[in-house]
Amino acid sequence: MQDLVIKVKKLRKQQGFSQMVLAERSGVSLGSIKRFEVTGKISLEALLQISLALNRIDDFENLFKADDTPKSI
């Protein structure tokens, strides 16, 4: 979880966003962003909104991707 926090914070800074700017662009409260960056706790919905604001929503595309190959018995 801490690795995810580090990556998101790094992306935020690389894009020149303060926590306040990210809150405004994502629609996630400033308090939620601060809490996430300190504790790693955040709702999935808020994490997706942040990812969208950071132009990284595609990173979720392969998460839990089902294997379409039929299993043999």
Side-chain angles (χ1 to χ4, degrees):
M1 193 164 38
Q2 194 60 32
D3 286 343
L4 180 61
V5 171
I6 291 167
K7 289 175 185 177
V8 171
K9 191 173 181 178
K10 183 177 179 180
L11 283 169
R12 174 179 66 76
K13 289 182 175 185
Q14 283 177 344
Q15 294 185 29
F17 296 166
S18 65
Q19 290 176 331
M20 177 62 85
V21 169
L22 183 57
E24 291 169 356
R25 289 179 173 248
S26 67
V28 175
S29 73
L30 178 58
S32 291
I33 290 173
K34 286 182 176 185
R35 183 173 48 253
F36 172 63
E37 289 191 0
V38 172
T39 68
K41 295 183 181 183
I42 194 163
S43 73
L44 177 59
E45 180 180 2
L47 183 58
L48 291 171
Q49 288 174 271
I50 289 169
S51 299
L52 188 60
L54 293 172
N55 296 313
R56 297 305 295 249
I57 196 70
D58 290 342
D59 291 353
F60 286 90
E61 187 173 319
N62 291 320
L63 187 65
F64 303 119
K65 186 176 181 180
D67 184 4
D68 294 332
T69 308
K71 296 198 181 234
S72 59
I73 298 177

Short mmCIF file of all heavy atoms in Angstrom, two decimals:
data_model
loop_
_atom_site.label_atom_id
_atom_site.label_comp_id
_atom_site.label_asym_id
_atom_site.label_seq_id
_atom_site.Cartn_x
_atom_site.Cartn_y
_atom_site.Cartn_z
N MET A 1 0.83 -1.19 0.00
CA MET A 1 0.00 0.00 0.00
C MET A 1 0.88 1.26 0.00
O MET A 1 0.56 2.22 -0.69
CB MET A 1 -0.92 -0.04 1.22
CG MET A 1 -2.02 0.94 1.16
SD MET A 1 -3.39 0.69 2.31
CE MET A 1 -2.68 0.12 3.78
N GLN A 2 1.95 1.22 0.77
CA GLN A 2 2.83 2.38 0.83
C GLN A 2 3.48 2.66 -0.52
O GLN A 2 3.69 3.82 -0.88
CB GLN A 2 3.90 2.20 1.93
CG GLN A 2 4.62 3.47 2.27
CD GLN A 2 3.70 4.57 2.79
OE1 GLN A 2 2.69 4.33 3.44
NE2 GLN A 2 4.03 5.81 2.49
N ASP A 3 3.77 1.60 -1.29
CA ASP A 3 4.34 1.80 -2.63
C ASP A 3 3.38 2.57 -3.52
O ASP A 3 3.79 3.43 -4.30
CB ASP A 3 4.68 0.45 -3.28
CG ASP A 3 5.91 -0.20 -2.68
OD1 ASP A 3 6.69 0.50 -2.01
OD2 ASP A 3 6.08 -1.41 -2.89
N LEU A 4 2.09 2.25 -3.42
CA LEU A 4 1.07 2.95 -4.20
C LEU A 4 1.03 4.43 -3.83
O LEU A 4 0.97 5.30 -4.70
CB LEU A 4 -0.30 2.30 -4.00
CG LEU A 4 -1.45 2.93 -4.76
CD1 LEU A 4 -1.23 2.87 -6.27
CD2 LEU A 4 -2.75 2.24 -4.39
N VAL A 5 1.08 4.72 -2.54
CA VAL A 5 1.09 6.11 -2.08
C VAL A 5 2.28 6.86 -2.66
O VAL A 5 2.14 7.97 -3.17
CB VAL A 5 1.10 6.18 -0.54
CG1 VAL A 5 1.34 7.60 -0.06
CG2 VAL A 5 -0.18 5.62 0.05
N ILE A 6 3.44 6.23 -2.61
CA ILE A 6 4.66 6.87 -3.13
C ILE A 6 4.52 7.16 -4.62
O ILE A 6 4.86 8.24 -5.08
CB ILE A 6 5.89 5.98 -2.84
CG1 ILE A 6 6.17 5.97 -1.33
CG2 ILE A 6 7.10 6.46 -3.62
CD1 ILE A 6 7.16 4.89 -0.89
N LYS A 7 3.98 6.20 -5.37
CA LYS A 7 3.82 6.38 -6.82
C LYS A 7 2.83 7.50 -7.14
O LYS A 7 3.09 8.34 -8.01
CB LYS A 7 3.35 5.08 -7.46
CG LYS A 7 4.43 4.02 -7.48
CD LYS A 7 3.88 2.71 -8.01
CE LYS A 7 4.91 1.61 -7.92
NZ LYS A 7 4.41 0.32 -8.37
N VAL A 8 1.70 7.53 -6.44
CA VAL A 8 0.69 8.56 -6.71
C VAL A 8 1.23 9.94 -6.33
O VAL A 8 1.07 10.91 -7.09
CB VAL A 8 -0.63 8.25 -5.96
CG1 VAL A 8 -1.59 9.42 -6.06
CG2 VAL A 8 -1.27 6.98 -6.52
N LYS A 9 1.89 10.02 -5.20
CA LYS A 9 2.46 11.31 -4.77
C LYS A 9 3.51 11.79 -5.76
O LYS A 9 3.56 12.98 -6.10
CB LYS A 9 3.06 11.14 -3.37
CG LYS A 9 3.44 12.43 -2.70
CD LYS A 9 3.86 12.16 -1.26
CE LYS A 9 4.21 13.43 -0.54
NZ LYS A 9 4.58 13.18 0.86
N LYS A 10 4.34 10.87 -6.24
CA LYS A 10 5.37 11.23 -7.22
C LYS A 10 4.73 11.73 -8.52
O LYS A 10 5.15 12.74 -9.08
CB LYS A 10 6.26 10.02 -7.51
CG LYS A 10 7.40 10.29 -8.44
CD LYS A 10 8.28 9.06 -8.61
CE LYS A 10 9.42 9.32 -9.56
NZ LYS A 10 10.27 8.14 -9.73
N LEU A 11 3.69 11.05 -8.99
CA LEU A 11 2.98 11.48 -10.21
C LEU A 11 2.37 12.87 -10.00
O LEU A 11 2.42 13.72 -10.89
CB LEU A 11 1.88 10.49 -10.57
CG LEU A 11 2.33 9.21 -11.25
CD1 LEU A 11 1.18 8.21 -11.30
CD2 LEU A 11 2.83 9.50 -12.65
N ARG A 12 1.77 13.07 -8.83
CA ARG A 12 1.16 14.37 -8.53
C ARG A 12 2.20 15.48 -8.63
O ARG A 12 1.98 16.51 -9.27
CB ARG A 12 0.54 14.34 -7.13
CG ARG A 12 0.01 15.69 -6.68
CD ARG A 12 -0.62 15.65 -5.31
NE ARG A 12 0.25 15.36 -4.20
CZ ARG A 12 1.11 16.21 -3.66
NH1 ARG A 12 1.25 17.43 -4.14
NH2 ARG A 12 1.85 15.86 -2.62
N LYS A 13 3.35 15.25 -8.03
CA LYS A 13 4.40 16.26 -8.03
C LYS A 13 5.01 16.45 -9.42
O LYS A 13 5.31 17.57 -9.81
CB LYS A 13 5.47 15.90 -7.01
CG LYS A 13 4.99 16.07 -5.58
CD LYS A 13 6.07 15.75 -4.59
CE LYS A 13 5.60 16.04 -3.17
NZ LYS A 13 6.67 15.84 -2.19
N GLN A 14 5.18 15.35 -10.17
CA GLN A 14 5.72 15.45 -11.52
C GLN A 14 4.83 16.30 -12.42
O GLN A 14 5.31 16.99 -13.31
CB GLN A 14 5.87 14.05 -12.15
CG GLN A 14 7.06 13.29 -11.65
CD GLN A 14 7.13 11.88 -12.23
OE1 GLN A 14 6.16 11.36 -12.77
NE2 GLN A 14 8.28 11.26 -12.11
N GLN A 15 3.52 16.23 -12.18
CA GLN A 15 2.59 17.01 -12.98
C GLN A 15 2.39 18.42 -12.42
O GLN A 15 1.61 19.20 -12.95
CB GLN A 15 1.26 16.26 -13.10
CG GLN A 15 1.43 14.97 -13.90
CD GLN A 15 0.14 14.25 -14.16
OE1 GLN A 15 -0.94 14.86 -14.25
NE2 GLN A 15 0.21 12.94 -14.30
N GLY A 16 3.11 18.74 -11.36
CA GLY A 16 3.08 20.08 -10.79
C GLY A 16 1.82 20.39 -10.01
O GLY A 16 1.47 21.56 -9.85
N PHE A 17 1.15 19.35 -9.51
CA PHE A 17 -0.09 19.54 -8.76
C PHE A 17 0.19 19.58 -7.26
O PHE A 17 0.86 18.69 -6.74
CB PHE A 17 -1.09 18.40 -9.01
CG PHE A 17 -1.60 18.27 -10.42
CD1 PHE A 17 -2.27 17.12 -10.80
CD2 PHE A 17 -1.44 19.26 -11.36
CE1 PHE A 17 -2.77 16.97 -12.09
CE2 PHE A 17 -1.93 19.13 -12.65
CZ PHE A 17 -2.60 17.98 -13.01
N SER A 18 -0.36 20.57 -6.61
CA SER A 18 -0.39 20.55 -5.16
C SER A 18 -1.52 19.60 -4.76
O SER A 18 -2.32 19.18 -5.60
CB SER A 18 -0.68 21.95 -4.61
OG SER A 18 -1.99 22.36 -4.99
N GLN A 19 -1.60 19.29 -3.49
CA GLN A 19 -2.72 18.46 -3.04
C GLN A 19 -4.05 19.16 -3.33
O GLN A 19 -5.02 18.51 -3.72
CB GLN A 19 -2.59 18.16 -1.54
CG GLN A 19 -1.47 17.21 -1.20
CD GLN A 19 -1.31 17.00 0.29
OE1 GLN A 19 -1.62 17.87 1.10
NE2 GLN A 19 -0.81 15.82 0.66
N MET A 20 -4.08 20.47 -3.17
CA MET A 20 -5.30 21.24 -3.41
C MET A 20 -5.71 21.17 -4.88
O MET A 20 -6.89 20.98 -5.20
CB MET A 20 -5.11 22.70 -2.99
CG MET A 20 -6.32 23.58 -3.27
SD MET A 20 -7.79 23.06 -2.36
CE MET A 20 -7.50 23.89 -0.83
N VAL A 21 -4.76 21.32 -5.78
CA VAL A 21 -5.06 21.26 -7.20
C VAL A 21 -5.56 19.87 -7.57
O VAL A 21 -6.54 19.73 -8.32
CB VAL A 21 -3.82 21.65 -8.05
CG1 VAL A 21 -4.04 21.34 -9.52
CG2 VAL A 21 -3.50 23.13 -7.86
N LEU A 22 -4.93 18.83 -7.04
CA LEU A 22 -5.40 17.47 -7.31
C LEU A 22 -6.81 17.28 -6.79
O LEU A 22 -7.64 16.66 -7.46
CB LEU A 22 -4.45 16.44 -6.71
CG LEU A 22 -4.81 14.98 -6.98
CD1 LEU A 22 -4.89 14.69 -8.48
CD2 LEU A 22 -3.81 14.06 -6.30
N ALA A 23 -7.10 17.82 -5.63
CA ALA A 23 -8.45 17.73 -5.07
C ALA A 23 -9.46 18.39 -6.01
O ALA A 23 -10.52 17.82 -6.30
CB ALA A 23 -8.49 18.38 -3.69
N GLU A 24 -9.12 19.56 -6.50
CA GLU A 24 -10.03 20.28 -7.39
C GLU A 24 -10.23 19.53 -8.71
O GLU A 24 -11.34 19.42 -9.21
CB GLU A 24 -9.50 21.68 -7.66
CG GLU A 24 -9.56 22.58 -6.44
CD GLU A 24 -8.79 23.89 -6.62
OE1 GLU A 24 -8.13 24.09 -7.66
OE2 GLU A 24 -8.85 24.73 -5.69
N ARG A 25 -9.14 19.02 -9.27
CA ARG A 25 -9.23 18.32 -10.57
C ARG A 25 -9.91 16.96 -10.46
O ARG A 25 -10.52 16.52 -11.42
CB ARG A 25 -7.83 18.15 -11.17
CG ARG A 25 -7.25 19.45 -11.65
CD ARG A 25 -5.85 19.23 -12.21
NE ARG A 25 -5.36 20.44 -12.82
CZ ARG A 25 -5.16 20.59 -14.12
NH1 ARG A 25 -5.37 19.60 -14.95
NH2 ARG A 25 -4.72 21.73 -14.60
N SER A 26 -9.76 16.31 -9.33
CA SER A 26 -10.31 14.96 -9.19
C SER A 26 -11.70 14.93 -8.57
O SER A 26 -12.42 13.95 -8.74
CB SER A 26 -9.37 14.11 -8.32
OG SER A 26 -9.34 14.59 -6.99
N GLY A 27 -12.05 15.97 -7.85
CA GLY A 27 -13.33 15.96 -7.14
C GLY A 27 -13.24 15.20 -5.82
O GLY A 27 -14.26 14.97 -5.16
N VAL A 28 -12.05 14.84 -5.41
CA VAL A 28 -11.81 14.16 -4.14
C VAL A 28 -11.45 15.24 -3.12
O VAL A 28 -10.68 16.15 -3.44
CB VAL A 28 -10.67 13.12 -4.27
CG1 VAL A 28 -10.33 12.49 -2.93
CG2 VAL A 28 -11.06 12.04 -5.28
N SER A 29 -11.99 15.14 -1.93
CA SER A 29 -11.73 16.18 -0.94
C SER A 29 -10.25 16.27 -0.60
O SER A 29 -9.51 15.27 -0.65
CB SER A 29 -12.54 15.93 0.33
OG SER A 29 -11.99 14.84 1.06
N LEU A 30 -9.82 17.46 -0.25
CA LEU A 30 -8.44 17.68 0.15
C LEU A 30 -8.09 16.80 1.35
O LEU A 30 -7.02 16.22 1.41
CB LEU A 30 -8.21 19.17 0.49
CG LEU A 30 -6.82 19.55 0.98
CD1 LEU A 30 -5.74 19.17 -0.04
CD2 LEU A 30 -6.76 21.03 1.31
N GLY A 31 -9.02 16.67 2.27
CA GLY A 31 -8.79 15.83 3.45
C GLY A 31 -8.54 14.38 3.07
O GLY A 31 -7.68 13.72 3.66
N SER A 32 -9.28 13.89 2.09
CA SER A 32 -9.09 12.50 1.65
C SER A 32 -7.73 12.31 0.99
O SER A 32 -7.07 11.29 1.19
CB SER A 32 -10.19 12.09 0.67
OG SER A 32 -11.44 11.99 1.33
N ILE A 33 -7.30 13.29 0.22
CA ILE A 33 -6.00 13.20 -0.42
C ILE A 33 -4.89 13.25 0.62
O ILE A 33 -3.94 12.46 0.58
CB ILE A 33 -5.83 14.30 -1.49
CG1 ILE A 33 -6.76 13.97 -2.68
CG2 ILE A 33 -4.37 14.43 -1.94
CD1 ILE A 33 -6.85 15.02 -3.73
N LYS A 34 -5.01 14.14 1.58
CA LYS A 34 -4.01 14.22 2.65
C LYS A 34 -3.96 12.91 3.43
O LYS A 34 -2.88 12.40 3.73
CB LYS A 34 -4.33 15.38 3.59
CG LYS A 34 -4.02 16.74 3.01
CD LYS A 34 -4.32 17.83 4.02
CE LYS A 34 -3.93 19.18 3.47
NZ LYS A 34 -4.11 20.26 4.46
N ARG A 35 -5.13 12.37 3.79
CA ARG A 35 -5.19 11.12 4.54
C ARG A 35 -4.55 9.98 3.73
O ARG A 35 -3.80 9.18 4.27
CB ARG A 35 -6.64 10.78 4.90
CG ARG A 35 -6.78 9.53 5.75
CD ARG A 35 -8.20 9.28 6.25
NE ARG A 35 -9.20 9.40 5.20
CZ ARG A 35 -10.07 10.40 5.07
NH1 ARG A 35 -10.06 11.41 5.92
NH2 ARG A 35 -10.94 10.41 4.09
N PHE A 36 -4.83 9.93 2.44
CA PHE A 36 -4.25 8.90 1.58
C PHE A 36 -2.73 8.99 1.57
O PHE A 36 -2.05 7.98 1.71
CB PHE A 36 -4.81 9.03 0.16
CG PHE A 36 -4.12 8.14 -0.84
CD1 PHE A 36 -4.17 6.76 -0.71
CD2 PHE A 36 -3.43 8.67 -1.90
CE1 PHE A 36 -3.53 5.93 -1.63
CE2 PHE A 36 -2.79 7.86 -2.82
CZ PHE A 36 -2.84 6.49 -2.68
N GLU A 37 -2.20 10.19 1.44
CA GLU A 37 -0.76 10.35 1.36
C GLU A 37 -0.05 10.09 2.70
O GLU A 37 1.14 9.81 2.72
CB GLU A 37 -0.40 11.73 0.82
CG GLU A 37 -0.73 11.87 -0.66
CD GLU A 37 -0.16 13.12 -1.31
OE1 GLU A 37 0.53 13.92 -0.63
OE2 GLU A 37 -0.40 13.30 -2.53
N VAL A 38 -0.80 10.12 3.79
CA VAL A 38 -0.21 9.83 5.10
C VAL A 38 -0.43 8.38 5.51
O VAL A 38 0.49 7.70 5.97
CB VAL A 38 -0.79 10.78 6.19
CG1 VAL A 38 -0.35 10.37 7.58
CG2 VAL A 38 -0.37 12.22 5.91
N THR A 39 -1.66 7.88 5.31
CA THR A 39 -2.02 6.55 5.83
C THR A 39 -2.16 5.48 4.75
O THR A 39 -2.15 4.29 5.06
CB THR A 39 -3.36 6.60 6.58
OG1 THR A 39 -4.42 6.86 5.66
CG2 THR A 39 -3.34 7.65 7.68
N GLY A 40 -2.36 5.90 3.50
CA GLY A 40 -2.61 4.95 2.42
C GLY A 40 -4.06 4.55 2.30
O GLY A 40 -4.43 3.77 1.43
N LYS A 41 -4.91 5.08 3.16
CA LYS A 41 -6.33 4.71 3.16
C LYS A 41 -7.12 5.63 2.24
O LYS A 41 -7.03 6.85 2.36
CB LYS A 41 -6.90 4.74 4.57
CG LYS A 41 -6.27 3.70 5.45
CD LYS A 41 -6.87 3.69 6.82
CE LYS A 41 -6.15 2.62 7.65
NZ LYS A 41 -6.73 2.49 8.97
N ILE A 42 -7.90 4.99 1.33
CA ILE A 42 -8.72 5.75 0.39
C ILE A 42 -9.75 4.80 -0.21
O ILE A 42 -9.50 3.59 -0.32
CB ILE A 42 -7.85 6.39 -0.72
CG1 ILE A 42 -8.63 7.44 -1.49
CG2 ILE A 42 -7.26 5.34 -1.63
CD1 ILE A 42 -7.76 8.37 -2.30
N SER A 43 -10.88 5.32 -0.60
CA SER A 43 -11.89 4.48 -1.24
C SER A 43 -11.46 4.19 -2.68
O SER A 43 -10.69 4.94 -3.28
CB SER A 43 -13.25 5.17 -1.24
OG SER A 43 -13.28 6.24 -2.17
N LEU A 44 -11.95 3.10 -3.21
CA LEU A 44 -11.65 2.75 -4.59
C LEU A 44 -12.16 3.84 -5.52
O LEU A 44 -11.46 4.24 -6.47
CB LEU A 44 -12.26 1.40 -4.96
CG LEU A 44 -12.08 0.96 -6.41
CD1 LEU A 44 -10.60 0.87 -6.76
CD2 LEU A 44 -12.77 -0.37 -6.64
N GLU A 45 -13.34 4.35 -5.26
CA GLU A 45 -13.91 5.41 -6.10
C GLU A 45 -12.99 6.63 -6.13
O GLU A 45 -12.71 7.19 -7.18
CB GLU A 45 -15.29 5.80 -5.59
CG GLU A 45 -15.94 6.90 -6.40
CD GLU A 45 -17.32 7.29 -5.88
OE1 GLU A 45 -17.77 6.75 -4.86
OE2 GLU A 45 -17.94 8.16 -6.51
N ALA A 46 -12.51 7.04 -4.96
CA ALA A 46 -11.63 8.21 -4.89
C ALA A 46 -10.30 7.93 -5.60
O ALA A 46 -9.78 8.80 -6.30
CB ALA A 46 -11.39 8.60 -3.43
N LEU A 47 -9.77 6.73 -5.44
CA LEU A 47 -8.52 6.37 -6.11
C LEU A 47 -8.69 6.42 -7.63
O LEU A 47 -7.82 6.90 -8.35
CB LEU A 47 -8.05 4.99 -5.67
CG LEU A 47 -6.72 4.52 -6.25
CD1 LEU A 47 -5.58 5.49 -5.90
CD2 LEU A 47 -6.39 3.12 -5.75
N LEU A 48 -9.83 5.96 -8.11
CA LEU A 48 -10.10 6.03 -9.55
C LEU A 48 -10.22 7.47 -10.02
O LEU A 48 -9.72 7.83 -11.09
CB LEU A 48 -11.35 5.23 -9.90
CG LEU A 48 -11.23 3.71 -9.75
CD1 LEU A 48 -12.60 3.05 -9.91
CD2 LEU A 48 -10.24 3.14 -10.74
N GLN A 49 -10.85 8.32 -9.23
CA GLN A 49 -10.98 9.73 -9.59
C GLN A 49 -9.61 10.41 -9.64
O GLN A 49 -9.33 11.20 -10.53
CB GLN A 49 -11.90 10.45 -8.59
CG GLN A 49 -13.36 10.08 -8.74
CD GLN A 49 -14.19 10.71 -7.65
OE1 GLN A 49 -14.37 10.13 -6.58
NE2 GLN A 49 -14.69 11.92 -7.91
N ILE A 50 -8.76 10.08 -8.68
CA ILE A 50 -7.40 10.63 -8.66
C ILE A 50 -6.63 10.14 -9.87
O ILE A 50 -5.94 10.91 -10.54
CB ILE A 50 -6.69 10.25 -7.34
CG1 ILE A 50 -7.30 11.04 -6.18
CG2 ILE A 50 -5.18 10.49 -7.44
CD1 ILE A 50 -6.85 10.56 -4.80
N SER A 51 -6.77 8.86 -10.18
CA SER A 51 -6.08 8.29 -11.35
C SER A 51 -6.51 8.97 -12.63
O SER A 51 -5.70 9.23 -13.51
CB SER A 51 -6.36 6.79 -11.44
OG SER A 51 -5.89 6.14 -10.29
N LEU A 52 -7.79 9.26 -12.74
CA LEU A 52 -8.30 9.96 -13.92
C LEU A 52 -7.70 11.36 -14.01
O LEU A 52 -7.26 11.79 -15.08
CB LEU A 52 -9.83 10.03 -13.86
CG LEU A 52 -10.55 10.56 -15.07
CD1 LEU A 52 -10.26 9.71 -16.31
CD2 LEU A 52 -12.05 10.59 -14.81
N ALA A 53 -7.63 12.06 -12.89
CA ALA A 53 -7.06 13.42 -12.87
C ALA A 53 -5.58 13.41 -13.21
O ALA A 53 -5.06 14.39 -13.76
CB ALA A 53 -7.28 14.06 -11.49
N LEU A 54 -4.90 12.31 -12.90
CA LEU A 54 -3.46 12.19 -13.19
C LEU A 54 -3.20 11.53 -14.54
O LEU A 54 -2.06 11.21 -14.87
CB LEU A 54 -2.76 11.40 -12.08
CG LEU A 54 -2.72 12.06 -10.71
CD1 LEU A 54 -2.17 11.09 -9.66
CD2 LEU A 54 -1.90 13.34 -10.73
N ASN A 55 -4.27 11.31 -15.31
CA ASN A 55 -4.18 10.66 -16.63
C ASN A 55 -3.56 9.26 -16.55
O ASN A 55 -2.76 8.87 -17.40
CB ASN A 55 -3.39 11.53 -17.62
CG ASN A 55 -4.09 12.83 -17.88
OD1 ASN A 55 -5.29 12.86 -18.14
ND2 ASN A 55 -3.35 13.92 -17.81
N ARG A 56 -3.91 8.51 -15.51
CA ARG A 56 -3.38 7.17 -15.32
C ARG A 56 -4.50 6.14 -15.14
O ARG A 56 -4.25 5.05 -14.65
CB ARG A 56 -2.45 7.13 -14.11
CG ARG A 56 -1.21 8.00 -14.23
CD ARG A 56 -0.38 7.71 -15.46
NE ARG A 56 0.18 6.38 -15.43
CZ ARG A 56 1.46 6.10 -15.29
NH1 ARG A 56 2.33 7.08 -15.18
NH2 ARG A 56 1.88 4.86 -15.27
N ILE A 57 -5.70 6.45 -15.57
CA ILE A 57 -6.82 5.53 -15.41
C ILE A 57 -6.59 4.23 -16.18
O ILE A 57 -7.05 3.17 -15.77
CB ILE A 57 -8.16 6.21 -15.81
CG1 ILE A 57 -9.36 5.41 -15.27
CG2 ILE A 57 -8.27 6.42 -17.30
CD1 ILE A 57 -9.53 5.46 -13.79
N ASP A 58 -5.83 4.29 -17.26
CA ASP A 58 -5.53 3.08 -18.04
C ASP A 58 -4.73 2.06 -17.23
O ASP A 58 -4.72 0.88 -17.58
CB ASP A 58 -4.79 3.42 -19.33
CG ASP A 58 -5.66 4.15 -20.33
OD1 ASP A 58 -6.90 4.11 -20.19
OD2 ASP A 58 -5.10 4.77 -21.25
N ASP A 59 -4.08 2.51 -16.19
CA ASP A 59 -3.31 1.58 -15.35
C ASP A 59 -4.21 0.53 -14.70
O ASP A 59 -3.75 -0.54 -14.31
CB ASP A 59 -2.56 2.34 -14.24
CG ASP A 59 -1.43 3.18 -14.79
OD1 ASP A 59 -1.12 3.09 -16.00
OD2 ASP A 59 -0.84 3.95 -14.01
N PHE A 60 -5.50 0.81 -14.60
CA PHE A 60 -6.44 -0.12 -13.98
C PHE A 60 -7.01 -1.14 -14.97
O PHE A 60 -7.69 -2.07 -14.57
CB PHE A 60 -7.60 0.64 -13.33
CG PHE A 60 -7.19 1.33 -12.05
CD1 PHE A 60 -6.72 2.63 -12.08
CD2 PHE A 60 -7.28 0.68 -10.84
CE1 PHE A 60 -6.33 3.27 -10.92
CE2 PHE A 60 -6.89 1.30 -9.66
CZ PHE A 60 -6.42 2.60 -9.71
N GLU A 61 -6.74 -0.95 -16.25
CA GLU A 61 -7.34 -1.80 -17.28
C GLU A 61 -7.02 -3.28 -17.09
O GLU A 61 -7.88 -4.13 -17.27
CB GLU A 61 -6.88 -1.37 -18.67
CG GLU A 61 -7.60 -2.10 -19.78
CD GLU A 61 -7.26 -1.53 -21.14
OE1 GLU A 61 -7.18 -0.29 -21.28
OE2 GLU A 61 -7.07 -2.34 -22.05
N ASN A 62 -5.80 -3.61 -16.73
CA ASN A 62 -5.41 -5.02 -16.60
C ASN A 62 -5.55 -5.56 -15.18
O ASN A 62 -5.28 -6.74 -14.94
CB ASN A 62 -3.98 -5.23 -17.09
CG ASN A 62 -3.89 -5.05 -18.59
OD1 ASN A 62 -4.76 -5.49 -19.32
ND2 ASN A 62 -2.84 -4.40 -19.04
N LEU A 63 -5.98 -4.73 -14.26
CA LEU A 63 -6.17 -5.17 -12.89
C LEU A 63 -7.32 -6.16 -12.84
O LEU A 63 -8.42 -5.88 -13.34
CB LEU A 63 -6.45 -3.96 -12.00
CG LEU A 63 -6.51 -4.19 -10.51
CD1 LEU A 63 -5.14 -4.63 -10.00
CD2 LEU A 63 -6.94 -2.91 -9.81
N PHE A 64 -7.10 -7.31 -12.31
CA PHE A 64 -8.10 -8.37 -12.20
C PHE A 64 -8.60 -8.85 -13.55
O PHE A 64 -9.73 -9.30 -13.69
CB PHE A 64 -9.30 -7.95 -11.33
CG PHE A 64 -8.92 -7.52 -9.96
CD1 PHE A 64 -9.19 -6.23 -9.52
CD2 PHE A 64 -8.29 -8.39 -9.09
CE1 PHE A 64 -8.85 -5.83 -8.25
CE2 PHE A 64 -7.93 -7.98 -7.81
CZ PHE A 64 -8.21 -6.71 -7.39
N LYS A 65 -7.77 -8.73 -14.56
CA LYS A 65 -8.15 -9.17 -15.90
C LYS A 65 -8.36 -10.68 -15.89
O LYS A 65 -7.50 -11.44 -15.45
CB LYS A 65 -7.08 -8.79 -16.93
CG LYS A 65 -7.47 -9.10 -18.34
CD LYS A 65 -6.41 -8.59 -19.30
CE LYS A 65 -6.83 -8.89 -20.72
NZ LYS A 65 -5.82 -8.41 -21.66
N ALA A 66 -9.52 -11.09 -16.39
CA ALA A 66 -9.83 -12.51 -16.43
C ALA A 66 -9.06 -13.16 -17.57
O ALA A 66 -8.86 -12.58 -18.63
CB ALA A 66 -11.33 -12.71 -16.64
N ASP A 67 -8.63 -14.38 -17.35
CA ASP A 67 -7.96 -15.15 -18.37
C ASP A 67 -9.02 -15.75 -19.27
O ASP A 67 -9.88 -16.50 -18.82
CB ASP A 67 -7.12 -16.24 -17.72
CG ASP A 67 -6.30 -17.04 -18.71
OD1 ASP A 67 -6.30 -16.70 -19.92
OD2 ASP A 67 -5.65 -18.00 -18.28
N ASP A 68 -9.00 -15.43 -20.56
CA ASP A 68 -10.02 -15.91 -21.49
C ASP A 68 -9.74 -17.31 -22.02
O ASP A 68 -10.52 -17.87 -22.75
CB ASP A 68 -10.13 -14.93 -22.68
CG ASP A 68 -10.66 -13.58 -22.24
OD1 ASP A 68 -11.40 -13.52 -21.25
OD2 ASP A 68 -10.33 -12.59 -22.92
N THR A 69 -8.60 -17.87 -21.61
CA THR A 69 -8.24 -19.21 -22.07
C THR A 69 -9.02 -20.24 -21.27
O THR A 69 -8.99 -20.23 -20.04
CB THR A 69 -6.73 -19.47 -21.87
OG1 THR A 69 -6.00 -18.41 -22.47
CG2 THR A 69 -6.32 -20.80 -22.44
N PRO A 70 -9.76 -21.14 -21.97
CA PRO A 70 -10.50 -22.17 -21.23
C PRO A 70 -9.56 -23.10 -20.50
O PRO A 70 -8.48 -23.43 -21.00
CB PRO A 70 -11.26 -22.92 -22.33
CG PRO A 70 -10.98 -22.24 -23.61
CD PRO A 70 -9.92 -21.23 -23.40
N LYS A 71 -9.95 -23.50 -19.31
CA LYS A 71 -9.13 -24.42 -18.53
C LYS A 71 -9.47 -25.85 -18.92
O LYS A 71 -10.63 -26.22 -19.04
CB LYS A 71 -9.38 -24.21 -17.04
CG LYS A 71 -8.96 -22.85 -16.57
CD LYS A 71 -8.80 -22.81 -15.10
CE LYS A 71 -8.41 -21.41 -14.72
NZ LYS A 71 -7.26 -21.31 -13.96
N SER A 72 -8.45 -26.64 -19.10
CA SER A 72 -8.67 -28.05 -19.42
C SER A 72 -8.90 -28.83 -18.13
O SER A 72 -8.40 -28.48 -17.09
CB SER A 72 -7.49 -28.62 -20.20
OG SER A 72 -6.32 -28.48 -19.42
N ILE A 73 -9.65 -29.88 -18.26
CA ILE A 73 -9.97 -30.70 -17.09
C ILE A 73 -9.07 -31.90 -17.00
O ILE A 73 -8.62 -32.50 -17.84
CB ILE A 73 -11.45 -31.17 -17.13
CG1 ILE A 73 -12.33 -29.95 -17.11
CG2 ILE A 73 -11.75 -32.08 -15.98
CD1 ILE A 73 -13.79 -30.24 -17.22
#
